[in-house]
Amino acid sequence: MRIIAVSDTHNQLDQIEIPDGDVLIHAGDATMGGRYQEVYDFASVMAKLPHRYKIFVAGNHDLGLQDHPERFEPLLREAGVTYLRDSSVTLDDVKFYGSPWQPEFYNWAFNLPRGPELGAVWSKIPGDTTVLITHGPPQSILDLVSRGERVGCDELLAAVIEKKPKYHIFGHVHECYGALERYGVTFCNVSTCNKRYAPTNPPFVIDL
């Protein structure tokens, strides 16, 4: 199975050269403000891509998916996109689990306080997950912002160490695009846009 992974495309998915593969993953922040037209345009681009399976997890900029899921989620379904919100899908015997939540970050979408509330969210990750998709990073893993602060989630890191998916795919922190292996897990920050919101980082290609 060939997985193509992107994140943080911010209304610029149509400007990115996306390789072919079996599964296309978008790990959130498809839009700038999550307005209906933005989500509609994103879904339209996704519908045209040739990948057999398409998975999306929302990010903090995708406000409409938090505030009006009844209006926005059908746009994704009609485009053939599997939208994961604290849920999983098994494709060709590979289990993917996705969740949009992150530690509180200004007044954006899918924010929760650090501590027990986030811990409860991550406790839902199935133990047999192969590919975990979140919008935000775990603590101290590809989460360093330009002001020198690490903004990842401690509770998410603890859950990943416990559940041990083969891959953990996320975005959110534009400055930390890249991959590393730790705790027996391959972590991939697949943010497409750089700090200036220019789509300069190429999609990740993962062969399972």
Side-chain angles (χ1 to χ4, degrees), residues 7-10 26-35 38-39 56-67 83-85 99-112 118 122 134-137 145 147 151 170-175 189 191 193 197:
S7 182
D8 298 83
T9 55
H10 294 290
H26 194 299
D29 279 3
T31 69
M32 285 299 293
R35 294 184 297 274
E38 291 179 298
V39 177
F56 177 62
V57 170
N60 57 289
H61 278 258
D62 303 317
L63 286 151
L65 283 156
Q66 174 183 272
D67 297 340
Y83 174 56
L84 297 182
R85 178 172 171 170
S99 179
W101 303 97
Q102 69 234 302
E104 287 178 315
F105 182 71
Y106 297 106
N107 193 28
W108 291 101
F110 301 107
N111 283 348
L112 286 173
L118 277 167
W122 306 131
T134 62
H135 179 58
V145 297
R147 63 180 179 271
V151 298
F170 52 88
H172 187 49
V173 180
H174 295 196
E175 300 98 308
N189 181 328
S191 296
C193 283
Y197 287 80

Tab-separated table of all heavy atoms in Angstrom, residues 7-10 26-35 38-39 56-67 83-85 99-112 118 122 134-137 145 147 151 170-175 189 191 193 197:
chain	number	residue	atom	x	y	z
A	7	SER	N	-0.774	17.948	4.679
A	7	SER	CA	-1.507	18.646	5.727
A	7	SER	C	-1.301	20.140	5.535
A	7	SER	O	-0.376	20.560	4.827
A	7	SER	CB	-1.000	18.221	7.110
A	7	SER	OG	-1.725	18.854	8.143
A	8	ASP	N	-2.163	20.935	6.159
A	8	ASP	CA	-1.969	22.387	6.186
A	8	ASP	C	-1.768	22.949	4.775
A	8	ASP	O	-0.802	23.660	4.498
A	8	ASP	CB	-0.782	22.735	7.090
A	8	ASP	CG	-1.020	22.299	8.521
A	8	ASP	OD1	-0.785	21.110	8.838
A	8	ASP	OD2	-1.475	23.127	9.326
A	9	THR	N	-2.713	22.629	3.919
A	9	THR	CA	-2.652	23.148	2.547
A	9	THR	C	-3.345	24.501	2.419
A	9	THR	O	-3.114	25.217	1.441
A	9	THR	CB	-3.271	22.152	1.561
A	9	THR	OG1	-4.609	21.843	1.971
A	9	THR	CG2	-2.461	20.866	1.504
A	10	HIS	N	-4.225	24.860	3.331
A	10	HIS	CA	-4.789	26.203	3.443
A	10	HIS	C	-5.271	26.775	2.101
A	10	HIS	O	-4.742	27.773	1.612
A	10	HIS	CB	-3.764	27.142	4.091
A	10	HIS	CG	-3.461	26.801	5.523
A	10	HIS	ND1	-4.366	26.975	6.543
A	10	HIS	CD2	-2.352	26.250	6.101
A	10	HIS	CE1	-3.839	26.569	7.687
A	10	HIS	NE2	-2.614	26.123	7.448
A	26	HIS	N	-5.071	13.614	4.228
A	26	HIS	CA	-4.922	15.041	4.517
A	26	HIS	C	-5.165	15.217	6.013
A	26	HIS	O	-6.251	14.933	6.508
A	26	HIS	CB	-5.923	15.867	3.711
A	26	HIS	CG	-5.609	17.338	3.709
A	26	HIS	ND1	-5.563	18.086	4.868
A	26	HIS	CD2	-5.334	18.206	2.693
A	26	HIS	CE1	-5.266	19.343	4.562
A	26	HIS	NE2	-5.114	19.437	3.253
A	27	ALA	N	-4.141	15.703	6.730
A	27	ALA	CA	-4.191	15.755	8.191
A	27	ALA	C	-4.616	17.113	8.734
A	27	ALA	O	-4.197	17.516	9.817
A	27	ALA	CB	-2.843	15.354	8.770
A	28	GLY	N	-5.484	17.822	8.014
A	28	GLY	CA	-6.124	19.000	8.579
A	28	GLY	C	-5.602	20.332	8.087
A	28	GLY	O	-4.553	20.435	7.473
A	29	ASP	N	-6.386	21.376	8.403
A	29	ASP	CA	-6.157	22.730	7.916
A	29	ASP	C	-6.156	22.754	6.385
A	29	ASP	O	-5.252	23.293	5.742
A	29	ASP	CB	-4.873	23.333	8.479
A	29	ASP	CG	-5.068	23.873	9.893
A	29	ASP	OD1	-6.177	23.717	10.444
A	29	ASP	OD2	-4.125	24.457	10.445
A	30	ALA	N	-7.215	22.199	5.843
A	30	ALA	CA	-7.438	22.299	4.395
A	30	ALA	C	-7.796	23.721	4.005
A	30	ALA	O	-7.591	24.127	2.860
A	30	ALA	CB	-8.559	21.351	3.986
A	31	THR	N	-8.346	24.485	4.950
A	31	THR	CA	-8.857	25.823	4.676
A	31	THR	C	-8.127	26.851	5.535
A	31	THR	O	-7.258	26.525	6.341
A	31	THR	CB	-10.368	25.886	4.983
A	31	THR	OG1	-10.560	25.786	6.397
A	31	THR	CG2	-11.110	24.752	4.291
A	32	MET	N	-8.542	28.112	5.376
A	32	MET	CA	-8.048	29.165	6.259
A	32	MET	C	-9.038	29.468	7.377
A	32	MET	O	-8.634	29.770	8.498
A	32	MET	CB	-7.770	30.441	5.456
A	32	MET	CG	-6.516	30.370	4.620
A	32	MET	SD	-4.978	30.126	5.553
A	32	MET	CE	-4.870	31.680	6.432
A	33	GLY	N	-10.340	29.400	7.069
A	33	GLY	CA	-11.335	29.726	8.081
A	33	GLY	C	-12.491	28.762	8.169
A	33	GLY	O	-13.405	28.962	8.963
A	34	GLY	N	-12.459	27.725	7.351
A	34	GLY	CA	-13.490	26.699	7.417
A	34	GLY	C	-14.848	27.145	6.914
A	34	GLY	O	-15.870	26.568	7.304
A	35	ARG	N	-14.878	28.135	6.038
A	35	ARG	CA	-16.157	28.577	5.482
A	35	ARG	C	-16.680	27.555	4.473
A	35	ARG	O	-15.926	26.748	3.944
A	35	ARG	CB	-15.998	29.952	4.823
A	35	ARG	CG	-15.660	31.060	5.815
A	35	ARG	CD	-15.600	32.420	5.153
A	35	ARG	NE	-14.531	32.466	4.149
A	35	ARG	CZ	-13.277	32.761	4.418
A	35	ARG	NH1	-12.888	33.000	5.650
A	35	ARG	NH2	-12.370	32.805	3.455
A	38	GLU	N	-14.957	27.347	1.084
A	38	GLU	CA	-13.617	26.773	1.196
A	38	GLU	C	-13.676	25.248	1.261
A	38	GLU	O	-12.900	24.552	0.592
A	38	GLU	CB	-12.918	27.305	2.441
A	38	GLU	CG	-12.544	28.769	2.385
A	38	GLU	CD	-11.870	29.206	3.668
A	38	GLU	OE1	-12.508	29.142	4.741
A	38	GLU	OE2	-10.684	29.598	3.610
A	39	VAL	N	-14.576	24.735	2.089
A	39	VAL	CA	-14.695	23.281	2.218
A	39	VAL	C	-15.228	22.681	0.916
A	39	VAL	O	-14.790	21.611	0.487
A	39	VAL	CB	-15.577	22.915	3.418
A	39	VAL	CG1	-15.768	21.401	3.511
A	39	VAL	CG2	-14.960	23.440	4.717
A	56	PHE	N	-9.534	12.261	5.440
A	56	PHE	CA	-9.340	13.626	5.931
A	56	PHE	C	-9.624	13.700	7.413
A	56	PHE	O	-10.613	13.143	7.901
A	56	PHE	CB	-10.267	14.589	5.182
A	56	PHE	CG	-10.195	16.016	5.663
A	56	PHE	CD1	-9.015	16.729	5.571
A	56	PHE	CD2	-11.310	16.638	6.208
A	56	PHE	CE1	-8.939	18.044	6.022
A	56	PHE	CE2	-11.252	17.953	6.652
A	56	PHE	CZ	-10.057	18.651	6.554
A	57	VAL	N	-8.734	14.378	8.131
A	57	VAL	CA	-8.936	14.743	9.535
A	57	VAL	C	-8.897	16.261	9.605
A	57	VAL	O	-7.991	16.884	9.047
A	57	VAL	CB	-7.837	14.121	10.427
A	57	VAL	CG1	-7.889	14.697	11.828
A	57	VAL	CG2	-7.984	12.605	10.470
A	58	ALA	N	-9.858	16.870	10.267
A	58	ALA	CA	-9.944	18.330	10.311
A	58	ALA	C	-8.838	18.920	11.182
A	58	ALA	O	-8.260	18.253	12.040
A	58	ALA	CB	-11.308	18.766	10.820
A	59	GLY	N	-8.572	20.218	10.968
A	59	GLY	CA	-7.602	20.948	11.772
A	59	GLY	C	-8.229	22.174	12.414
A	59	GLY	O	-9.421	22.457	12.240
A	60	ASN	N	-7.417	22.918	13.112
A	60	ASN	CA	-7.942	24.061	13.871
A	60	ASN	C	-8.499	25.171	12.985
A	60	ASN	O	-9.341	25.956	13.436
A	60	ASN	CB	-6.871	24.618	14.813
A	60	ASN	CG	-5.600	25.029	14.096
A	60	ASN	OD1	-4.848	24.167	13.630
A	60	ASN	ND2	-5.327	26.310	13.998
A	61	HIS	N	-8.073	25.246	11.731
A	61	HIS	CA	-8.615	26.261	10.824
A	61	HIS	C	-9.948	25.835	10.197
A	61	HIS	O	-10.648	26.679	9.631
A	61	HIS	CB	-7.618	26.558	9.702
A	61	HIS	CG	-6.536	27.519	10.091
A	61	HIS	ND1	-6.545	28.849	9.729
A	61	HIS	CD2	-5.413	27.341	10.835
A	61	HIS	CE1	-5.472	29.450	10.213
A	61	HIS	NE2	-4.759	28.549	10.890
A	62	ASP	N	-10.284	24.565	10.297
A	62	ASP	CA	-11.473	24.040	9.604
A	62	ASP	C	-12.713	24.179	10.495
A	62	ASP	O	-13.370	23.204	10.870
A	62	ASP	CB	-11.225	22.594	9.191
A	62	ASP	CG	-9.984	22.449	8.313
A	62	ASP	OD1	-9.803	23.286	7.417
A	62	ASP	OD2	-9.199	21.509	8.542
A	63	LEU	N	-13.036	25.425	10.821
A	63	LEU	CA	-14.046	25.722	11.838
A	63	LEU	C	-15.423	25.185	11.507
A	63	LEU	O	-16.155	24.742	12.391
A	63	LEU	CB	-14.118	27.244	12.052
A	63	LEU	CG	-12.931	27.831	12.827
A	63	LEU	CD1	-12.684	29.272	12.410
A	63	LEU	CD2	-13.181	27.744	14.311
A	64	GLY	N	-15.799	25.216	10.247
A	64	GLY	CA	-17.136	24.772	9.881
A	64	GLY	C	-17.406	23.321	10.223
A	64	GLY	O	-18.532	22.952	10.557
A	65	LEU	N	-16.370	22.504	10.173
A	65	LEU	CA	-16.548	21.086	10.478
A	65	LEU	C	-16.788	20.853	11.964
A	65	LEU	O	-17.361	19.844	12.348
A	65	LEU	CB	-15.344	20.293	9.996
A	65	LEU	CG	-15.356	20.064	8.482
A	65	LEU	CD1	-13.963	19.830	7.944
A	65	LEU	CD2	-16.269	18.901	8.135
A	66	GLN	N	-16.370	21.782	12.791
A	66	GLN	CA	-16.700	21.695	14.210
A	66	GLN	C	-18.085	22.287	14.484
A	66	GLN	O	-18.894	21.687	15.195
A	66	GLN	CB	-15.674	22.439	15.054
A	66	GLN	CG	-16.067	22.509	16.543
A	66	GLN	CD	-15.085	23.313	17.357
A	66	GLN	OE1	-14.096	22.786	17.856
A	66	GLN	NE2	-15.341	24.601	17.507
A	67	ASP	N	-18.348	23.462	13.920
A	67	ASP	CA	-19.555	24.205	14.289
A	67	ASP	C	-20.807	23.731	13.570
A	67	ASP	O	-21.905	23.814	14.124
A	67	ASP	CB	-19.337	25.693	14.005
A	67	ASP	CG	-18.207	26.283	14.838
A	67	ASP	OD1	-17.852	25.673	15.872
A	67	ASP	OD2	-17.665	27.328	14.442
A	83	TYR	N	-14.068	10.935	6.204
A	83	TYR	CA	-13.773	11.932	7.224
A	83	TYR	C	-13.711	11.233	8.576
A	83	TYR	O	-14.694	10.625	9.017
A	83	TYR	CB	-14.858	13.010	7.223
A	83	TYR	CG	-14.747	14.030	8.325
A	83	TYR	CD1	-13.586	14.777	8.491
A	83	TYR	CD2	-15.809	14.248	9.195
A	83	TYR	CE1	-13.493	15.724	9.495
A	83	TYR	CE2	-15.730	15.189	10.203
A	83	TYR	CZ	-14.562	15.922	10.344
A	83	TYR	OH	-14.471	16.866	11.355
A	84	LEU	N	-12.556	11.324	9.219
A	84	LEU	CA	-12.366	10.664	10.508
A	84	LEU	C	-12.369	11.704	11.628
A	84	LEU	O	-11.531	12.610	11.648
A	84	LEU	CB	-11.047	9.889	10.527
A	84	LEU	CG	-10.919	8.739	9.527
A	84	LEU	CD1	-9.575	8.034	9.697
A	84	LEU	CD2	-12.062	7.744	9.663
A	85	ARG	N	-13.329	11.561	12.521
A	85	ARG	CA	-13.418	12.404	13.703
A	85	ARG	C	-13.587	11.463	14.897
A	85	ARG	O	-14.681	11.001	15.178
A	85	ARG	CB	-14.586	13.383	13.596
A	85	ARG	CG	-14.771	14.265	14.827
A	85	ARG	CD	-15.813	15.335	14.586
A	85	ARG	NE	-16.143	16.039	15.821
A	85	ARG	CZ	-16.870	17.146	15.885
A	85	ARG	NH1	-17.354	17.685	14.776
A	85	ARG	NH2	-17.137	17.721	17.041
A	99	SER	N	-8.221	11.806	14.459
A	99	SER	CA	-8.838	12.700	15.435
A	99	SER	C	-8.298	14.115	15.244
A	99	SER	O	-7.102	14.295	15.036
A	99	SER	CB	-8.552	12.215	16.855
A	99	SER	OG	-9.131	13.083	17.797
A	100	PRO	N	-9.167	15.133	15.336
A	100	PRO	CA	-8.746	16.501	15.053
A	100	PRO	C	-8.271	17.301	16.261
A	100	PRO	O	-7.810	18.431	16.091
A	100	PRO	CB	-10.035	17.128	14.507
A	100	PRO	CG	-11.112	16.467	15.319
A	100	PRO	CD	-10.632	15.037	15.494
A	101	TRP	N	-8.380	16.768	17.468
A	101	TRP	CA	-8.217	17.597	18.668
A	101	TRP	C	-6.770	17.968	18.932
A	101	TRP	O	-5.842	17.268	18.540
A	101	TRP	CB	-8.812	16.880	19.877
A	101	TRP	CG	-10.253	16.559	19.657
A	101	TRP	CD1	-10.780	15.362	19.218
A	101	TRP	CD2	-11.360	17.448	19.789
A	101	TRP	NE1	-12.141	15.460	19.097
A	101	TRP	CE2	-12.530	16.730	19.436
A	101	TRP	CE3	-11.484	18.775	20.176
A	101	TRP	CZ2	-13.790	17.299	19.454
A	101	TRP	CZ3	-12.750	19.347	20.202
A	101	TRP	CH2	-13.881	18.607	19.840
A	102	GLN	N	-6.585	19.091	19.639
A	102	GLN	CA	-5.262	19.560	20.019
A	102	GLN	C	-5.377	20.442	21.261
A	102	GLN	O	-6.465	20.882	21.600
A	102	GLN	CB	-4.632	20.365	18.886
A	102	GLN	CG	-5.294	21.701	18.623
A	102	GLN	CD	-5.706	21.870	17.180
A	102	GLN	OE1	-4.871	21.789	16.322
A	102	GLN	NE2	-6.970	22.107	16.931
A	103	PRO	N	-4.255	20.680	21.943
A	103	PRO	CA	-4.302	21.603	23.078
A	103	PRO	C	-4.784	22.985	22.640
A	103	PRO	O	-4.570	23.396	21.501
A	103	PRO	CB	-2.849	21.655	23.556
A	103	PRO	CG	-2.247	20.375	23.090
A	103	PRO	CD	-2.928	20.080	21.777
A	104	GLU	N	-5.427	23.677	23.557
A	104	GLU	CA	-6.027	24.980	23.247
A	104	GLU	C	-5.043	25.885	22.523
A	104	GLU	O	-3.896	26.060	22.938
A	104	GLU	CB	-6.499	25.653	24.536
A	104	GLU	CG	-7.740	25.002	25.117
A	104	GLU	CD	-8.186	25.632	26.412
A	104	GLU	OE1	-7.327	25.876	27.268
A	104	GLU	OE2	-9.409	25.871	26.557
A	105	PHE	N	-5.509	26.463	21.418
A	105	PHE	CA	-4.673	27.282	20.545
A	105	PHE	C	-5.523	28.439	20.055
A	105	PHE	O	-6.293	28.312	19.114
A	105	PHE	CB	-4.160	26.424	19.371
A	105	PHE	CG	-3.241	27.138	18.427
A	105	PHE	CD1	-1.958	27.476	18.806
A	105	PHE	CD2	-3.665	27.465	17.150
A	105	PHE	CE1	-1.113	28.138	17.928
A	105	PHE	CE2	-2.824	28.119	16.257
A	105	PHE	CZ	-1.544	28.449	16.652
A	106	TYR	N	-5.424	29.580	20.763
A	106	TYR	CA	-6.274	30.731	20.484
A	106	TYR	C	-7.740	30.289	20.464
A	106	TYR	O	-8.135	29.381	21.180
A	106	TYR	CB	-5.843	31.431	19.200
A	106	TYR	CG	-4.441	31.995	19.284
A	106	TYR	CD1	-3.380	31.394	18.618
A	106	TYR	CD2	-4.175	33.117	20.058
A	106	TYR	CE1	-2.096	31.904	18.713
A	106	TYR	CE2	-2.886	33.640	20.162
A	106	TYR	CZ	-1.859	33.028	19.490
A	106	TYR	OH	-0.592	33.523	19.594
A	107	ASN	N	-8.559	30.903	19.638
A	107	ASN	CA	-9.995	30.582	19.619
A	107	ASN	C	-10.343	29.823	18.340
A	107	ASN	O	-11.302	30.151	17.647
A	107	ASN	CB	-10.825	31.858	19.741
A	107	ASN	CG	-12.288	31.562	20.043
A	107	ASN	OD1	-12.609	30.543	20.644
A	107	ASN	ND2	-13.172	32.440	19.607
A	108	TRP	N	-9.533	28.792	18.032
A	108	TRP	CA	-9.747	28.040	16.809
A	108	TRP	C	-10.565	26.786	17.093
A	108	TRP	O	-11.065	26.585	18.196
A	108	TRP	CB	-8.399	27.687	16.181
A	108	TRP	CG	-7.662	28.863	15.625
A	108	TRP	CD1	-6.629	29.534	16.206
A	108	TRP	CD2	-7.913	29.530	14.381
A	108	TRP	NE1	-6.205	30.561	15.403
A	108	TRP	CE2	-6.979	30.587	14.276
A	108	TRP	CE3	-8.825	29.334	13.344
A	108	TRP	CZ2	-6.927	31.441	13.180
A	108	TRP	CZ3	-8.778	30.179	12.250
A	108	TRP	CH2	-7.840	31.220	12.174
A	109	ALA	N	-10.676	25.951	16.100
A	109	ALA	CA	-11.526	24.759	16.201
A	109	ALA	C	-10.801	23.593	16.876
A	109	ALA	O	-9.572	23.530	16.901
A	109	ALA	CB	-11.982	24.329	14.802
A	110	PHE	N	-11.610	22.678	17.404
A	110	PHE	CA	-11.132	21.400	17.952
A	110	PHE	C	-10.051	21.595	19.022
A	110	PHE	O	-9.038	20.910	19.035
A	110	PHE	CB	-10.647	20.479	16.823
A	110	PHE	CG	-11.712	20.167	15.818
A	110	PHE	CD1	-11.693	20.735	14.556
A	110	PHE	CD2	-12.766	19.321	16.140
A	110	PHE	CE1	-12.696	20.451	13.619
A	110	PHE	CE2	-13.766	19.032	15.219
A	110	PHE	CZ	-13.732	19.595	13.962
A	111	ASN	N	-10.296	22.558	19.897
A	111	ASN	CA	-9.395	22.826	21.017
A	111	ASN	C	-9.927	22.195	22.299
A	111	ASN	O	-11.133	22.244	22.565
A	111	ASN	CB	-9.273	24.334	21.258
A	111	ASN	CG	-8.382	25.022	20.251
A	111	ASN	OD1	-7.670	24.393	19.489
A	111	ASN	ND2	-8.413	26.348	20.250
A	112	LEU	N	-9.025	21.640	23.097
A	112	LEU	CA	-9.372	21.127	24.422
A	112	LEU	C	-8.263	21.505	25.395
A	112	LEU	O	-7.099	21.641	24.995
A	112	LEU	CB	-9.533	19.606	24.403
A	112	LEU	CG	-10.802	19.042	23.748
A	112	LEU	CD1	-10.711	17.529	23.654
A	112	LEU	CD2	-12.055	19.454	24.522
A	118	LEU	N	-8.037	15.918	27.124
A	118	LEU	CA	-7.308	15.387	25.969
A	118	LEU	C	-6.925	13.932	26.191
A	118	LEU	O	-6.964	13.123	25.270
A	118	LEU	CB	-6.067	16.236	25.685
A	118	LEU	CG	-6.330	17.496	24.860
A	118	LEU	CD1	-5.133	18.429	24.904
A	118	LEU	CD2	-6.694	17.153	23.423
A	122	TRP	N	-7.645	10.730	23.604
A	122	TRP	CA	-6.624	9.820	23.054
A	122	TRP	C	-6.802	8.398	23.556
A	122	TRP	O	-6.319	7.454	22.925
A	122	TRP	CB	-5.221	10.332	23.384
A	122	TRP	CG	-4.978	11.746	22.965
A	122	TRP	CD1	-4.456	12.746	23.726
A	122	TRP	CD2	-5.255	12.340	21.685
A	122	TRP	NE1	-4.394	13.922	23.009
A	122	TRP	CE2	-4.882	13.692	21.758
A	122	TRP	CE3	-5.799	11.866	20.494
A	122	TRP	CZ2	-5.022	14.578	20.690
A	122	TRP	CZ3	-5.942	12.741	19.422
A	122	TRP	CH2	-5.557	14.066	19.516
A	134	THR	N	-3.540	12.608	13.363
A	134	THR	CA	-4.068	13.705	14.158
A	134	THR	C	-3.667	15.006	13.465
A	134	THR	O	-2.781	15.002	12.600
A	134	THR	CB	-3.503	13.687	15.589
A	134	THR	OG1	-2.081	13.845	15.557
A	134	THR	CG2	-3.850	12.379	16.292
A	135	HIS	N	-4.317	16.107	13.861
A	135	HIS	CA	-3.856	17.362	13.270
A	135	HIS	C	-2.600	17.860	13.964
A	135	HIS	O	-1.647	18.286	13.323
A	135	HIS	CB	-4.941	18.434	13.321
A	135	HIS	CG	-4.471	19.728	12.728
A	135	HIS	ND1	-4.022	19.816	11.425
A	135	HIS	CD2	-4.318	20.971	13.263
A	135	HIS	CE1	-3.639	21.061	11.168
A	135	HIS	NE2	-3.800	21.777	12.274
A	136	GLY	N	-2.587	17.797	15.279
A	136	GLY	CA	-1.456	18.315	16.027
A	136	GLY	C	-0.448	17.247	16.391
A	136	GLY	O	-0.739	16.050	16.380
A	137	PRO	N	0.764	17.673	16.754
A	137	PRO	CA	1.830	16.731	17.101
A	137	PRO	C	1.796	16.336	18.574
A	137	PRO	O	1.193	17.019	19.408
A	137	PRO	CB	3.096	17.545	16.812
A	137	PRO	CG	2.682	18.956	17.120
A	137	PRO	CD	1.238	19.068	16.709
A	145	VAL	N	7.969	25.485	17.510
A	145	VAL	CA	7.585	26.658	16.726
A	145	VAL	C	8.716	27.678	16.745
A	145	VAL	O	9.662	27.579	17.532
A	145	VAL	CB	6.266	27.275	17.246
A	145	VAL	CG1	5.123	26.286	17.084
A	145	VAL	CG2	6.383	27.706	18.695
A	147	ARG	N	9.118	30.597	17.798
A	147	ARG	CA	9.423	31.358	19.019
A	147	ARG	C	10.171	30.521	20.056
A	147	ARG	O	10.444	30.982	21.168
A	147	ARG	CB	8.139	31.930	19.627
A	147	ARG	CG	7.128	30.905	20.084
A	147	ARG	CD	5.888	31.580	20.668
A	147	ARG	NE	4.894	30.620	21.103
A	147	ARG	CZ	3.929	30.118	20.350
A	147	ARG	NH1	3.841	30.507	19.080
A	147	ARG	NH2	3.056	29.259	20.832
A	151	VAL	N	4.943	22.869	21.334
A	151	VAL	CA	3.498	23.037	21.515
A	151	VAL	C	2.732	21.727	21.411
A	151	VAL	O	1.509	21.716	21.421
A	151	VAL	CB	2.944	24.049	20.478
A	151	VAL	CG1	3.567	25.412	20.681
A	151	VAL	CG2	3.170	23.562	19.047
A	170	PHE	N	0.764	13.776	11.172
A	170	PHE	CA	0.145	15.000	11.686
A	170	PHE	C	0.719	16.202	10.946
A	170	PHE	O	1.553	16.057	10.051
A	170	PHE	CB	0.384	15.131	13.202
A	170	PHE	CG	1.824	15.005	13.611
A	170	PHE	CD1	2.658	16.111	13.646
A	170	PHE	CD2	2.359	13.765	13.953
A	170	PHE	CE1	3.990	16.004	14.012
A	170	PHE	CE2	3.687	13.630	14.330
A	170	PHE	CZ	4.512	14.759	14.361
A	171	GLY	N	0.272	17.393	11.327
A	171	GLY	CA	0.761	18.639	10.743
A	171	GLY	C	0.777	19.723	11.807
A	171	GLY	O	1.404	19.599	12.823
A	172	HIS	N	0.065	20.819	11.518
A	172	HIS	CA	-0.189	21.916	12.453
A	172	HIS	C	1.005	22.841	12.645
A	172	HIS	O	0.874	24.065	12.550
A	172	HIS	CB	-0.675	21.356	13.797
A	172	HIS	CG	-1.125	22.390	14.774
A	172	HIS	ND1	-1.999	23.402	14.442
A	172	HIS	CD2	-0.830	22.561	16.093
A	172	HIS	CE1	-2.229	24.153	15.504
A	172	HIS	NE2	-1.525	23.670	16.515
A	173	VAL	N	2.175	22.297	12.943
A	173	VAL	CA	3.371	23.118	13.160
A	173	VAL	C	4.142	23.191	11.848
A	173	VAL	O	4.907	22.289	11.500
A	173	VAL	CB	4.240	22.543	14.292
A	173	VAL	CG1	5.490	23.412	14.496
A	173	VAL	CG2	3.442	22.465	15.592
A	174	HIS	N	3.932	24.277	11.121
A	174	HIS	CA	4.490	24.405	9.779
A	174	HIS	C	6.012	24.349	9.781
A	174	HIS	O	6.629	23.916	8.805
A	174	HIS	CB	4.047	25.725	9.152
A	174	HIS	CG	2.579	25.841	8.903
A	174	HIS	ND1	2.037	26.792	8.062
A	174	HIS	CD2	1.520	25.127	9.369
A	174	HIS	CE1	0.722	26.666	8.036
A	174	HIS	NE2	0.383	25.662	8.826
A	175	GLU	N	6.627	24.809	10.873
A	175	GLU	CA	8.078	24.936	10.910
A	175	GLU	C	8.795	23.595	11.077
A	175	GLU	O	10.023	23.538	10.945
A	175	GLU	CB	8.504	25.840	12.076
A	175	GLU	CG	7.950	27.255	12.026
A	175	GLU	CD	6.717	27.428	12.905
A	175	GLU	OE1	5.772	26.622	12.753
A	175	GLU	OE2	6.699	28.364	13.722
A	189	ASN	N	5.570	14.775	10.370
A	189	ASN	CA	4.912	16.074	10.267
A	189	ASN	C	4.855	16.420	8.788
A	189	ASN	O	5.878	16.724	8.172
A	189	ASN	CB	5.672	17.143	11.047
A	189	ASN	CG	4.996	18.509	10.986
A	189	ASN	OD1	4.357	18.857	10.001
A	189	ASN	ND2	5.151	19.297	12.044
A	191	SER	N	3.187	18.850	7.157
A	191	SER	CA	2.704	20.198	6.825
A	191	SER	C	3.210	20.619	5.449
A	191	SER	O	4.414	20.674	5.212
A	191	SER	CB	3.169	21.207	7.865
A	191	SER	OG	2.626	20.942	9.134
A	193	CYS	N	2.440	23.651	3.895
A	193	CYS	CA	2.808	25.064	3.906
A	193	CYS	C	3.913	25.333	4.913
A	193	CYS	O	3.956	24.727	5.990
A	193	CYS	CB	1.594	25.931	4.250
A	193	CYS	SG	0.442	26.149	2.881
A	197	TYR	N	2.922	30.334	4.947
A	197	TYR	CA	1.744	29.771	4.274
A	197	TYR	C	1.970	29.584	2.770
A	197	TYR	O	1.039	29.621	1.977
A	197	TYR	CB	0.496	30.632	4.530
A	197	TYR	CG	-0.016	30.491	5.946
A	197	TYR	CD1	0.589	31.178	6.989
A	197	TYR	CD2	-1.078	29.655	6.252
A	197	TYR	CE1	0.147	31.046	8.301
A	197	TYR	CE2	-1.534	29.509	7.556
A	197	TYR	CZ	-0.914	30.212	8.565
A	197	TYR	OH	-1.356	30.063	9.853
